[in-house]
Amino acid sequence: RKTEQFLQNQPKWFLSTCVKFPQVSQVFKLKDFTTALTVANSVRALAEAGRHHPQINLEYSGVTVT
């Protein structure tokens, strides 16, 4: 129920079915690798502060957080 409420209020996030249980994900499209790396490091810092460890996929012009 909480996941459904979150997804209703956060339209850029979606339900990922890459694993055997549901996870929320978002793809961030960015202009270049340097910007993508900066975003990935920002997510890392927030995750560490919250003691949460999401999957972070870094690509040339994007970051996917699950």
Side-chain angles (χ1 to χ4, degrees), residues 7-56:
L7 292 172
Q8 287 177 350
N9 295 321
Q10 304 295 327
K12 293 183 180 180
W13 288 83
F14 61 93
L15 196 58
S16 173
T17 56
C18 294
V19 294
K20 293 181 180 182
F21 54 91
Q23 295 179 314
V24 293
S25 296
Q26 183 174 349
V27 177
F28 298 87
K29 299 288 184 183
L30 305 157
K31 65 179 183 173
D32 57 32
F33 185 76
T34 301
T35 304
L37 184 58
T38 299
V39 168
N41 279 325
S42 295
V43 171
R44 178 209 49 83
L46 290 168
E48 280 293 318
R51 301 181 62 85
H52 177 68
H53 300 95
Q55 178 177 330
I56 304 170

